[in-house]
Amino acid sequence: MKPQSPHWADITASRIISQRGDKDCYVVASGITPSGKIHVGNFREVITVDLVARALRDHNKSVRFIYSWDDFDTFRKVPKNLPDPKKFTEFLRRPIARIPDPWANAESYAQGRIVNFEHELKEVGIFPEYIYQQKQYASGVYANQIRKALENVDTIRAILNEHKTTPLPENWLPTSIYCEQCERDEMVYEKYDGGWDYSYKCASCSFETTTKINQTKNLKLAWRTDWPMRWAFEKVDFEPGGKDHSSQGGSYDTGKKIVKEVWGEEAPIYLQYDFVMIKGGTGKMSSSSGELFTLSEILDVYDPQIVRWIFAGHRPNHDFSLAFDEDVIKIYDEFDRAERTALGPCPEKPGKWPLIRRTYELSLVDGKVPEKVPFRAGFRELSNRLQICSGDIDRVIERYYKNDIKSETDLFHFNQRAQCCLNWLQKHAAEEFKYSVYENRVEISLTEKQQQCLQSLRQIVSEYDLTSIESKKLNEIIYEKAIHATDCEPKEGFKAIYQKLIGRDQGPRLPGFLKEIGKDRLLTLL
């Protein structure tokens, strides 16, 4: 099937339809273990699936997007950022869905992370069907699948051994169990007795028993078998994976053999996604390195549509870096240009227009393409105006944008961008970029020439209409009448001006800055 556009999501959707055939519903999947802080690197997998799901729906296909929370996984290591790390050592080796939330905000350790991420996904317009594996295993819906895996243990072991230098032992099983007494998963032995019987002895509390596979709530498949089992159980057509799953002998490589030989199913169409990094960081984002940002922290600086646009604009198998420095301004400017291009007419020679348009369509949080280009305040200009107005968004609107904001939608998007801009200024902008314009006149020590320069500038402000004069023309007048006419060194003259306005030696480009501050306030400050 021909893709709808050259965008990678449409190419992937066409590949799914071609290879899986015409189906009533296509299943696309994603998932993660909520054992640590869920960061924006993890988010790359989710949005990759969401973009492909949207592309399939744009082919008029029905899609089931499932997201698995692997909350039945083991609590293996106490993260350093917990309120009382020592207290949580007692919960090691237990399932993360059965231990308390360290912050006492949720019913379990796992749920605390799950609730946060599910809320973040809503913010960017992603609404999967969530599957909680603790409930799945406890309900017994996988009992037949577990038994099938155990009955085919020799096949599974042989597949895994193909890529091992040290073969798995003969008594190895593709399962693990949590003790009924202490809920830990470290065992002296585990044994499949045939039928529904499963025996074990706990290494932690010495409890020993034989349980029923179709009755216990404590038995689960190990990851390398669990993943292909779920492909077969949910009839998954597409699921991406990170670099760690994508190498030769990795979990996807072995999984596609296991799902075929044990369950008689084909592995889903696969797409590798690469790392997301932070500009200026030391490498990939990971919980262990501590160098990570959550989706909420990204949304502090980039509004939801721009977050989607950034990810939609990068092919999944390419690394990229998120910026929090002055490049934030550049990214907002690039988005604004792309939006104007995307919502304009298709040129006679389309060139990159179809890709720009499709990336923009996929960036829309609600999927609804606006009829005309929305009003967008330039990010750099907005950052200056917010600082001039001491961060008061309503004051900025009243002074600068009341004639541009013509609808509730305009107002919503303006407030969203303005808040992101304030967050960036407060948390990430370089010190030289930040300032606060004085409300009242301040006294500073000046040389005679600096005093003459300031007096001349005040005269310029009195004589000229700052609202109508062009910045270039104003700049020429400042140099002619305030700098050269007073024989003041430019560096010393500008230093005096900025000290009177913001208490710093340097600041934003002066002509535009003076226009932004306005005549009345300048006459007071100068």
Side-chain angles (χ1 to χ4, degrees):
M1 176 174 284
K2 186 179 178 182
Q4 285 193 331
S5 82
H7 193 276
W8 61 263
D10 288 316
I11 294 169
T12 304
S14 296
R15 185 158 65 98
I16 293 166
I17 295 166
S18 297
Q19 293 185 25
R20 306 299 274 200
D22 192 24
K23 300 181 68 174
D24 292 337
C25 182
Y26 294 87
V27 180
V28 296
S30 180
I32 193 175
T33 300
S35 57
K37 208 177 217 185
I38 299 166
H39 54 75
V40 77
N42 304 134
F43 170 69
R44 189 170 201 182
E45 178 177 309
V46 194
I47 196 167
T48 297
V49 180
D50 177 74
L51 294 170
V52 171
R54 287 196 180 195
L56 284 167
R57 291 187 183 110
D58 289 342
H59 275 285
N60 296 315
K61 302 299 182 183
S62 177
V63 179
R64 181 180 175 227
F65 176 7
I66 59 175
Y67 190 89
S68 285
W69 284 112
D70 293 332
D71 55 349
F72 203 33
D73 284 3
T74 304
F75 187 54
R76 288 179 164 74
K77 184 179 179 182
V78 180
K80 295 177 182 178
N81 63 344
L82 297 193
D84 189 357
K86 288 184 180 179
K87 177 183 174 183
F88 270 75
T89 55
E90 67 178 280
F91 300 115
L92 290 171
R93 309 309 307 183
R94 294 179 181 178
I96 56 176
R98 296 184 189 172
I99 62 176
D101 177 31
W103 292 272
N105 294 325
E107 64 185 45
S108 72
Y109 179 94
Q111 196 63 24
R113 286 152 175 76
I114 288 170
V115 169
N116 288 340
F117 195 59
E118 289 182 2
H119 173 74
E120 290 171 340
L121 291 183
K122 288 179 184 177
E123 294 291 304
V124 292
I126 298 178
F127 300 92
E129 171 193 335
Y130 294 107
I131 298 174
Y132 307 93
Q133 293 303 326
Q134 145 79 7
K135 292 179 180 177
Q136 289 290 91
Y137 274 105
S139 70
V141 297
Y142 294 150
N144 286 323
Q145 313 305 320
I146 295 171
R147 179 171 171 175
K148 192 174 188 70
L150 288 165
E151 289 171 346
N152 287 272
V153 62
D154 292 342
T155 300
I156 296 170
R157 188 194 303 112
I159 291 169
L160 297 179
N161 279 340
E162 289 175 15
H163 304 281
K164 285 185 170 291
T165 52
T166 304
L168 294 166
E170 286 298 312
N171 63 350
W172 175 87
L173 295 177
T175 48
S176 64
I177 194 164
Y178 294 105
C179 175
E180 291 173 34
Q181 296 279 38
C182 70
E183 293 196 322
R184 293 183 174 86
D185 69 347
E186 293 180 305
M187 300 294 152
V188 175
Y189 72 83
E190 291 174 70
K191 185 173 66 172
Y192 175 54
D193 302 313
W196 295 106
D197 290 342
Y198 193 94
S199 302
Y200 69 88
K201 181 177 181 179
C202 179
S204 298
C205 69
S206 299
F207 179 74
E208 188 171 13
T209 190
T210 297
T211 190
K212 296 290 185 182
I213 294 169
N214 55 351
Q215 293 175 9
T216 182
K217 296 182 179 182
N218 298 313
L219 185 63
K220 69 186 292 286
L221 290 170
W223 163 246
R224 291 254 184 167
T225 307
D226 178 71
W227 199 19
M229 179 277 288
R230 282 190 255 158
W231 292 340
F233 188 83
E234 302 290 358
K235 308 297 182 189
V236 177
D237 296 297
F238 169 74
E239 183 167 6
K243 279 184 176 180
D244 48 343
H245 298 308
S246 307
S247 60
Q248 185 176 4
S251 47
Y252 178 76
D253 198 17
T254 57
K256 65 185 178 183
K257 295 178 183 177
I258 291 170
V259 75
K260 179 73 171 176
E261 295 192 30
V262 177
W263 282 280
E265 299 282 352
E266 294 295 330
I269 308 301
Y270 189 73
L271 196 63
Q272 177 186 318
Y273 61 88
D274 280 9
F275 300 134
V276 178
M277 294 164 285
I278 299 298
K279 184 186 173 190
T282 57
K284 72 168 185 173
M285 216 174 296
S286 71
S287 298
S288 58
S289 71
E291 216 174 68
L292 54 84
F293 280 74
T294 64
L295 183 53
S296 290
E297 289 169 318
I298 304 301
L299 289 167
D300 266 353
V301 173
Y302 296 104
D303 72 52
Q305 184 174 0
I306 291 184
V307 170
R308 291 187 62 93
W309 179 77
I310 290 169
F311 280 84
H314 289 88
R315 295 185 67 85
N317 62 343
H318 286 76
D319 294 343
F320 74 92
S321 297
L322 283 163
F324 289 90
D325 59 7
E326 202 168 333
D327 276 358
V328 170
I329 299 170
K330 177 183 171 186
I331 290 167
Y332 270 90
D333 287 347
E334 287 174 352
F335 170 80
D336 292 347
R337 285 195 298 272
E339 182 173 58
R340 291 192 294 270
T341 302
L343 295 177
C346 178
E348 287 185 21
K349 294 182 179 179
K352 293 182 179 180
W353 186 88
L355 183 58
I356 293 170
R357 167 77 180 195
R358 186 58 173 147
T359 303
Y360 178 77
E361 290 173 350
L362 292 169
S363 77
L364 293 158
V365 175
D366 60 5
K368 297 176 183 177
V369 180
E371 294 180 3
K372 60 181 182 178
V373 180
F375 168 66
R376 305 285 188 184
F379 198 86
R380 182 185 292 275
E381 171 191 88
L382 184 56
S383 68
N384 283 327
R385 290 175 171 179
L386 282 165
Q387 291 184 95
I388 289 168
C389 294
S390 303
D392 187 331
I393 295 174
D394 291 337
R395 192 169 145 200
V396 170
I397 292 172
E398 179 61 28
R399 180 168 177 183
Y400 300 107
Y401 298 107
K402 62 182 178 182
N403 295 326
D404 297 306
I405 297 172
K406 298 175 181 175
S407 67
E408 288 298 316
T409 301
D410 281 348
L411 181 61
F412 172 80
H413 287 300
F414 180 87
N415 283 329
Q416 195 175 56
R417 179 170 289 196
Q419 189 58 58
C420 285
C421 191
L422 281 175
N423 294 339
W424 176 72
L425 287 167
Q426 291 164 6
K427 300 177 183 179
H428 303 288
E431 282 303 314
E432 59 265 24
F433 198 89
K434 295 186 279 189
Y435 56 86
S436 177
V437 180
Y438 289 129
E439 294 291 338
N440 301 297
R441 187 180 64 150
V442 296
E443 297 293 337
I444 61 173
S445 177
L446 297 168
T447 66
E448 185 178 344
K449 287 185 179 180
Q450 284 178 320
Q451 288 176 344
Q452 292 171 356
C453 177
L454 285 176
Q455 288 168 4
S456 298
L457 179 62
R458 195 175 191 280
Q459 189 64 36
I460 292 168
V461 171
S462 299
E463 292 178 2
Y464 291 89
D465 181 3
L466 296 186
T467 57
S468 61
I469 191 170
E470 292 184 358
S471 294
K472 184 178 179 181
K473 180 63 177 175
L474 181 58
N475 192 53
E476 292 171 357
I477 293 168
I478 291 169
Y479 267 96
E480 179 188 345
K481 297 188 175 184
I483 300 295
H484 298 319
T486 61
D487 199 27
C488 184
E489 284 290 327
K491 184 177 179 181
E492 292 304 309
F494 287 121
K495 178 180 177 180
I497 296 168
Y498 285 118
Q499 282 291 341
K500 288 290 282 186
L501 300 179
I502 60 176
R504 301 181 66 153
D505 291 348
Q506 296 176 318
R509 293 186 66 181
L510 190 60
F513 192 42
L514 296 178
K515 286 166 64 66
E516 296 286 5
I517 295 173
K519 176 177 286 190
D520 292 343
R521 196 169 175 188
L522 282 171
L523 291 176
T524 298
L525 297 178
L526 293 171

